[in-house]
Each structure stands twice: as structure tokens, then as C-alpha cells.
Amino acid sequence: MMIVTTFDELRTALPLLEGRLGFVPTMGCLHEGHISLARRARVECDCVAVSIFVNPVQFGPHEDLSKYPRDLERDLHLLEDAGVDLVWTPTPEIMYPAGFQTWVEVEQMTRPLEGAQRPGHFRGVTTVVAKLFNAVQPAKAYFGQKDAQQAAVIRQMTRDLNFPIEIVVCPTVREPDGLAMSSRNVYLDADQRKAAAVLYRSLSAAKAAYEQGERDAERLRTLMKTVLASEPLAQMQYVSCADYDTLQELEQVSGKTLLSMAVFIGKTRLIDNFVLG
Ligand code: AMP
């Protein structure tokens, strides 16, 4: 497995990878969710590249950039075991040298949900992913359904900027109690960890109601809120029942629909979602 840091090193390494290249962008502190993307790329492509970069510009001023968990040595072992060919670990100074002033911004689709709670977050995400795509030029890039709005925004950006890259969105990998795997789960103490399964229970309750014929979006939102309110350690930030493609809130559920939420468990902000239809 090749490990590179600078753009020059990357440019030297990429021609050594023959055939169709699959690419998995990450912020490290890898778990089974990330590894599932690398494995899918391994199956579908000839070579696999993974980036590890905690992207400072997608964190708000009061978010967890400085304490975001990092464990490069462990990450590299996991990626080697998953059969990854190339790992790129740029630094903030390499990605954003002094004088950097070019941004990539997707409009409407970044306004609701995560975009409403985290101003500037998606501008940071799309800017870094555009830079990663330009440098790596993969045939396919792999993202998790766990970050549903991010996947939708990246798909839109890829289309709008004519990147010749196929975006593959992979299912959310969960712990046995349903909690979506996330690098941020390491922040949870034992009680909070138990409480965090409430996101999955809340989404499951809404999905069960939908499967029994409920199509009133407000009733689905209320049901999700009620389950969240039953967990004293959970503080809801938003719940949403929105059109899967436009991310606009619905009154009636008809086509493909995204149930999503952001919930604080103590100081840790967790997100999760289910797709209906
Ligand atoms: P991150 O390191 O959090 O930026 O995530 C890197 C990629 O892994 C993103 O495309 C995420 O959506 C994806 N990912 C994170 N958690 C999971 C999970 N539990 N299941 C599947 N994909 C995930």
C-alpha cells in the first residue's frame, strides 16, 4: 500500500495504479462504515485510493475540529487489510496554502437540514471534495448513506461541474443496537452510548408507521419527536420528513422520501436517516 502526503507524491503514485480507480474520501478514525466503502470499491474497481483528511473548513467555529478523533496508524492497518492500494494524507497547509481563496458552493440543496444548522459546512465539503476529485481523478467515488444530504450535494456538484466520476452511495453500517457507526461515537460515555440508540428507534417507529400506511408527513415527524423525547439524555435539533431528491419538507409522503434527524446526546451531535419508498 502506497502512502503519500503531498500533491507531487500523489502525482507520482497515481500512474502506478492501472485500470479503473475507486476513491473513498474520509476524515480518518476509521470504522466498519468507512471500510465497507473501501471493500465495495475493491470489488467494483481495479484499484482503490482512500484519502484521510480532517477538513478544517467544513467545521464551524464552535464545532469539534480540535478534538476530532485521529489515529492514523490504526487507520493505515485497517486500510491495508481492506486491500487499499493508495492512501493520501494531505495536511491543511497542503490543501489550503496561504492565499487560498477559491470555493465551490452548491446552492438550494445545501440550505435545509444540516446546511441550516451548520452554516458554511457544505461549502467546506464541496470545496475539499472538488479538490480531491481533481487530484485523484477516480472513475468512481464512494460515499455513505449515513450522510444523506452530503451524498446528494456531492452528486449535484459532480453533475454541475461535469466531473466524469460515478458517485456510489453505500448503505449505513450500524452497531448491533442500530446506532449508525460514526467517528464521533467515541465521544459517548457508557450511558450516552446506550441512549444514542434512540435515533434508530425513532426512525424505526416512523418507518413502521409508514409501512402500516401512514402518509401524513407531519404525523411521521411527530412520531419521531415523541420517541426522541422519551430518552432523557437526547436533545433533538431537528427531525425531517423530506423529498429524497429536493430535500424539501413534505406534507404528504408519496415518492422516495428521506426521514432524517440531528440529535445531541450530551455535547455530541449525532445524525441518522432512513429512506422510504
Ligand atoms: P467521514 O470520515 O465521517 O467524513 O466519512 C467518510 C465517508 O464514510 C462518508 O462518505 C460517510 O458518509 C461514510 N460513512 C460514515 N459513517 C458511515 C456508516 N456508518 N456507514 C456507511 N458509511 C459511512
Side-chain angles (χ1 to χ4, degrees):
M1 185 170 79
M2 295 185 281
I3 301 162
V4 299
T5 302
T6 65
F7 277 92
D8 278 346
E9 288 167 350
L10 180 70
R11 270 190 286 271
T12 306
L14 282 171
L16 305 174
L17 303 179
E18 287 175 6
R20 281 168 68 77
L21 179 61
F23 176 49
V24 183
T26 81
M27 297 206 300
C29 191
L30 303 180
H31 50 65
E32 194 50 39
H34 300 108
I35 300 301
S36 74
L37 308 186
R39 283 210 204 91
R40 173 94 171 257
R42 181 73 278 161
V43 170
E44 294 183 355
C45 303
D46 300 305
C47 290
V48 181
V50 173
S51 62
I52 297 178
F53 178 58
V54 181
N55 178 34
V57 301
Q58 72 186 64
F59 286 76
H62 305 296
E63 295 183 355
D64 56 346
L65 172 62
S66 61
K67 67 179 178 108
Y68 194 83
R70 294 158 214 242
D71 191 346
L72 182 59
E73 209 170 308
R74 181 175 166 276
D75 290 350
L76 294 175
H77 282 299
L78 291 172
L79 295 174
E80 179 120 55
D81 288 348
V84 168
D85 300 289
L86 172 69
V87 183
W88 181 26
T89 60
T91 62
E93 294 71 28
I94 288 171
M95 285 309 247
Y96 305 109
F100 180 89
Q101 53 182 299
T102 302
W103 299 90
V104 176
E105 196 157 359
V106 172
E107 297 190 336
Q108 287 91 313
M109 190 175 274
T110 61
R111 291 189 184 130
L113 306 175
E114 289 299 286
Q117 302 299 334
R118 304 183 66 188
H121 169 66
F122 284 118
R123 183 172 97 133
V125 169
T126 45
T127 299
V128 80
V129 173
K131 285 170 69 71
L132 297 169
F133 280 4
N134 269 332
V136 176
Q137 305 208 353
K140 291 186 171 203
Y142 294 80
F143 293 87
Q145 178 60 36
K146 154 84 178 8
D147 299 282
Q149 187 176 15
Q150 170 174 280
V153 167
I154 299 289
R155 222 188 284 113
Q156 182 73 40
M157 177 193 80
T158 302
R159 217 172 20 236
D160 289 348
L161 296 184
N162 308 97
F163 284 111
I165 300 173
E166 183 186 335
I167 304 301
V168 181
V169 181
C170 303
T172 301
V173 177
R174 298 179 180 281
E175 301 286 358
D177 65 355
L179 175 64
M181 288 193 184
S182 163
S183 307
R184 291 187 166 101
N185 292 351
V186 301
Y187 298 146
L188 302 170
D189 68 24
D191 289 339
Q192 292 172 336
R193 170 62 193 79
K194 259 190 225 152
V198 75
L199 282 80
Y200 181 74
R201 288 203 302 277
S202 165
L203 289 162
S204 300
K207 182 172 179 223
Y210 168 81
E211 282 169 353
Q212 281 157 25
E214 182 61 79
R215 293 293 182 271
D216 184 301
E218 190 54 30
R219 279 204 217 116
L220 293 176
R221 286 187 285 264
T222 302
L223 184 54
M224 291 191 281
K225 286 181 197 168
T226 306
V227 176
L228 291 174
S230 72
E231 172 48 68
L233 296 183
Q235 201 184 354
M236 181 200 82
Q237 191 174 48
Y238 68 79
V239 302
S240 162
C241 175
D243 179 89
Y244 181 82
D245 292 312
T246 65
L247 304 179
Q248 294 304 305
E249 289 303 315
L250 295 170
E251 288 182 12
Q252 285 292 312
V253 174
S254 53
K256 204 169 173 187
T257 298
L258 183 71
L259 298 176
S260 65
M261 56 182 56
V263 178
F264 278 98
I265 306 283
K267 287 195 173 127
T268 305
R269 184 176 182 278
L270 301 177
I271 59 171
D272 201 353
N273 67 84
F274 276 11
V275 180
L276 305 178

